[in-house]
Amino acid sequence: MTASIFERLAGIRQFLGEEILPCVPGDKRGDLRAALKMLEDMAKEIDRLPGLLELEIAEMLHLCDAAVAALGWDGVDQDDLQSLKEFALEFDKPGKRLSELLALHTGICVLVSNLAIQLTAKVAIEPEDQKCLSGPRVVLAKSYRLLRRQAEARTSWQSVFPGGRLYPASGTPIKTIGDG
Amino acid sequence: MSVVRPDAPNEGMGGALAARLQTAVPELEDVRILRRLTGGSSHETWAFDARLRGLERHDPVPLILRREFDHALFDMSLGTEFELLSRLHETGLPVPRPLFHAGTGTALGSPFMIIERIAGLDTRKVMAAGGGTDRGKIGKSLVAALARLHAQQASLIADLISGDGRDAPARELAKWKAVIAASGDRSATLRIATQWLETNSFTVECPVIVHGDYKANNILLKANAEPVIIDWELAHIGDPVEDLAWTMLWTSPDDLVEGMMTPDEFLSEYEHQTGTTVDRRRLLFWKIFSLVKLAAIFLKGLETPPGGVVPRPTLLMLGQAIPCIEQALGDLLLRELEGSVGP
C-alpha cells in the first residue's frame, strides 16, 4: 500500500531530524528545528484545511448577508454587494481545488472587513440609547465573534504561542450583544 | 602587533570576521569571535573578546558586534541606535556602553557597532532556569527601569528621531500598516483592527522616550539581579502606555507579566513608581496596536528577502502564529464593543 502524504511527510521529518540535524553547524540548528516543527504543523494544516475553508467561507457568506441586511441595500457599498453575489456563485461551483478555495477565502475576508468597517461607521453615529439593540451593532458583534472563533480553530497548527492566547481576558463582559 | 588567534573560537566564518573586524577597528587587538547570537530582526549579532589599545588594563574585554543587514526595514539605523545608546548611557540609565560605530566604508562592508557585552543572561532565560528566587522583587526592578526610562526628557533624543511624539499613535500605526500592506496579507481581522486604530487615534500630551520592545528577553540580569536594557532598534518618542501594552503582550511563566506579577500588579507598580495613572482607554488602544505590530513583524518574516537571501525557517514559523493574534484582536474588539475591557 502506498504511503499517505502524512506518512511521507513524517518520514522526511524523521530523516532530517535523525540523520541531518546532528551534522548541522550550531548556528543553523535553530532554523532546521524550526523547519521540522513547521513540517509537523503544516501536515496538520493540510489535513484540516479543505473542510475548514468550506465551512469558513459558508459562515462568512452568511455573515455578509446579515451585514448587508443591517446596513440596508442602499446603505451598503455597491461594489461589495456585487462581490458578495459573485462569491456566492463561485462557492456553489462544485469540484474546487484547494488553491481556488484559498483564493475565494481571501476575497471573502476582504469583503467581510469592508462590511465590518461600514458597520462600525454606522454604529458610531447611532444615538446612545439605541446602541444596545441596533442591528448593525449586533451584526458587528457577530462578526468579531465569528472571526475570533475561526482564528482559534487555526491556532492548533502553530508552535510560537503554545497556550495560543495573547492578552487573556480578565474583564467580565457587562452584556453580550447578539450572542445566540 | 595584532594577531588573530587561530584557536577554536575563530574557526570558519568567525575567523574571517575577526580578521576584517580588526582591520575595520584598529583600536581592537587579539579579536576572538566566540559565537553568533540570536537577536534583532534585521541585524546580525556576534559575541567576541578583544583587547582595546590604549587601555591601562590590557585584559581582553567582552564585546558585542552588531552588523546591519541590507534589507533592514523597520529598525532604526545602527548609527542612530549607537547615538541613542550613547546619550542614554550618559544619563546613567542601565544600557550597554557603546564603543565604536562605522558606516559602510570599512573592511566589514556593512554598517556596524560595537558595544560592551554585559555579564548576564536575559531575564526570561534566568526565570526558565529557575533563577531569580524572588520573582516579585525582580519584577519591580524591571518596572523601575522602565519608569526611569520614561522619566527622561524626550528632548534628549529629539534630533535623532522623526516627529515630536505627539502624533506617535498615528505615526507608529502608519509604519506598521505599511509593513502589513507590503506583505500582501488580506486578514479581515487585521484590517478591521487597523481601521479601529485609525478611528481611535489620539494626540500624546506628554511624549517620552519609548523603548518599543520592552520585554523580559530584552532585559539582561546581572549576577546581582540588576537589569540592563538592550535591543533599542524600535525606540522612538511617544506614549509611555505603548511600552506597557507591549510588555503585557508577553505572558509566558518566565515573562514580567504573569511570570513575576499579574497584569493588575504590573500596572499598579508602574503607577506607584511613576506617580501617574494609566489611562485604560489608551491602554486598550496600545494593546490592539501591539497585536497589529506583532502581526506586521511576523508577516515581514514571511517575505522573501531581497538579493537572493534564503528565507529563514525561524522567521517563516512566526507567520503560522498570525491566527493567535487574530483571535486576541477579535477578543479585544468584541470586549470593547460590549463595554468591558479589563487590564
Side-chain angles (χ1 to χ4, degrees):
Chain A
M1 188 178 165
T2 313
S4 75
I5 185 172
F6 302 105
E7 288 163 336
R8 279 177 276 153
L9 276 171
I12 290 169
R13 279 198 292 117
Q14 188 178 4
F15 170 73
L16 291 173
E18 292 178 13
E19 299 283 326
I20 304 298
L21 187 61
C23 315
V24 167
D27 64 326
K28 297 274 192 287
R29 260 181 223 148
D31 272 321
L32 186 51
R33 282 199 193 95
L36 286 165
K37 195 68 201 157
M38 278 188 75
L39 284 173
E40 186 183 346
D41 288 340
M42 285 192 293
K44 291 180 197 165
E45 187 172 347
I46 291 167
D47 193 23
R48 289 204 54 206
L49 206 51
L52 194 67
L53 283 176
E54 295 257 6
L55 175 67
E56 287 184 355
I57 289 170
E59 287 175 337
M60 287 196 288
L61 285 174
H62 186 67
L63 178 71
C64 289
D65 284 337
V68 168
L71 289 164
W73 290 90
D74 297 335
V76 69
D77 183 288
Q78 293 305 299
D79 288 341
D80 289 335
L81 208 51
Q82 183 61 31
S83 296
L84 177 56
K85 287 176 190 165
E86 289 170 7
F87 289 146
L89 285 173
E90 181 68 23
F91 186 52
D92 284 341
K93 287 183 188 166
K96 286 181 286 298
R97 289 168 180 265
L98 182 55
S99 56
E100 290 169 327
L101 273 176
L102 280 166
L104 183 58
H105 187 272
T106 300
I108 296 175
C109 280
V110 173
L111 178 61
V112 165
S113 60
N114 285 350
L115 294 171
I117 288 165
Q118 290 169 56
L119 287 167
T120 307
K122 195 155 184 177
V123 166
I125 56 169
E126 284 175 336
E128 278 298 320
D129 59 342
Q130 291 177 22
K131 281 192 171 176
C132 278
L133 298 171
S134 80
R137 195 174 167 88
V138 167
V139 178
L140 188 58
K142 279 184 179 169
S143 307
Y144 293 159
R145 207 169 283 123
L146 176 69
L147 293 171
R148 181 181 64 177
R149 183 167 53 74
Q150 290 188 347
E152 188 175 6
R154 291 161 178 261
T155 57
S156 61
W157 62 65
Q158 60 83 38
S159 311
V160 180
F161 299 108
R165 294 305 300 265
L166 298 165
Y167 290 136
S170 58
T172 307
I174 297 166
K175 53 192 172 292
T176 303
I177 303 164
D179 191 10
Chain B
M1 182 180 163
S2 302
V3 178
V4 178
R5 290 185 188 175
D7 50 10
N10 279 344
E11 275 180 358
M13 198 174 160
L17 181 62
R20 284 190 286 150
L21 184 56
Q22 220 156 247
T23 308
V25 187
E27 292 88 343
L28 298 178
E29 290 180 334
D30 290 347
V31 173
R32 298 181 77 226
I33 300 290
L34 300 176
R35 63 192 176 279
R36 186 173 172 175
L37 305 171
T38 55
S41 51
S42 58
H43 299 108
E44 144 185 313
T45 308
W46 295 80
F48 73 102
D49 289 340
R51 297 180 201 280
L52 294 176
R53 280 182 205 269
L55 281 190
E56 273 184 31
R57 253 179 87 235
H58 211 54
D59 296 335
V61 178
L63 299 166
I64 291 286
L65 165 70
R66 292 188 63 191
R67 284 206 297 175
E68 200 165 73
F69 294 157
D70 289 338
H71 60 280
L73 178 68
F74 40 74
D75 295 353
M76 70 170 64
S77 74
L78 277 182
T80 304
E81 189 179 349
F82 182 86
E83 187 57 36
L84 175 94
L85 271 179
S86 304
R87 295 185 195 181
L88 293 175
H89 188 264
E90 277 173 24
T91 68
L93 272 171
V95 301
R97 185 161 63 105
L99 297 167
F100 303 103
H101 163 257
T104 51
T106 73
L108 280 189
S110 54
F112 70 92
M113 73 172 175
I114 295 171
I115 59 176
E116 72 169 323
R117 191 170 82 243
I118 303 295
L121 277 178
D122 87 50
T123 306
R124 205 183 267 168
K125 283 184 183 149
V126 173
M127 296 298 137
T133 47
D134 192 343
R135 286 177 168 243
K137 191 176 171 188
I138 292 173
K140 284 183 180 181
S141 76
L142 303 194
V143 176
L146 185 61
R148 279 182 68 193
L149 169 67
H150 290 167
Q152 296 298 316
Q153 294 291 325
S155 57
L156 181 71
I157 62 164
D159 60 315
L160 301 176
I161 309 276
S162 302
D164 63 4
R166 290 170 57 80
D167 64 347
R171 182 184 284 267
E172 286 295 304
L173 177 60
K175 182 167 82 175
W176 298 107
K177 189 180 167 187
V179 175
I180 293 172
S183 78
D185 184 77
R186 296 286 181 271
S187 159
T189 310
L190 278 180
R191 188 151 173 261
I192 294 166
T194 305
Q195 179 68 35
W196 186 94
L197 289 167
E198 282 178 344
T199 304
N200 290 278
S201 189
F202 58 95
T203 300
V204 180
E205 295 301 329
C206 301
V208 303
I209 301 173
V210 174
H211 180 273
D213 197 7
Y214 197 80
K215 55 190 169 82
N217 56 332
N218 281 337
I219 306 162
L220 302 179
L221 279 188
K222 292 182 179 174
N224 62 1
E226 216 176 279
V228 178
I229 310 169
I230 60 170
D231 281 355
W232 288 84
E233 63 260 34
L234 295 179
H236 55 274
I237 300 173
D239 187 352
V241 184
E242 182 188 342
D243 269 337
L244 302 182
W246 185 256
T247 304
M248 293 172 79
L249 180 58
W250 307 95
T251 55
S252 80
D254 304 313
D255 277 303
L256 170 52
V257 176
E258 299 293 9
M260 300 174 215
M261 47 183 70
T262 65
D264 279 330
E265 288 168 346
F266 170 68
L267 292 174
S268 296
E269 183 64 23
Y270 181 83
E271 288 175 335
H272 172 70
Q273 294 205 23
T274 56
T276 60
T277 301
V278 176
D279 182 321
R280 292 329 194 240
R281 182 78 188 167
R282 268 163 55 198
L283 184 65
L284 170 68
F285 176 93
W286 288 115
K287 279 184 171 182
I288 293 175
F289 169 85
S290 294
L291 290 164
V292 168
K293 173 177 163 180
L294 186 64
I297 292 169
F298 284 2
L299 289 168
K300 181 69 189 159
L302 295 179
E303 288 178 25
T304 305
V309 179
V310 179
R312 312 307 319 174
T314 39
L315 295 179
L316 294 175
M317 191 169 78
L318 297 177
Q320 304 257 122
I322 295 290
C324 296
I325 296 172
E326 292 172 323
Q327 182 191 7
L329 280 171
D331 200 42
L332 283 180
L333 290 168
L334 184 62
R335 286 160 61 201
E336 191 271 338
L337 189 69
E338 291 180 339
S340 162
V341 182

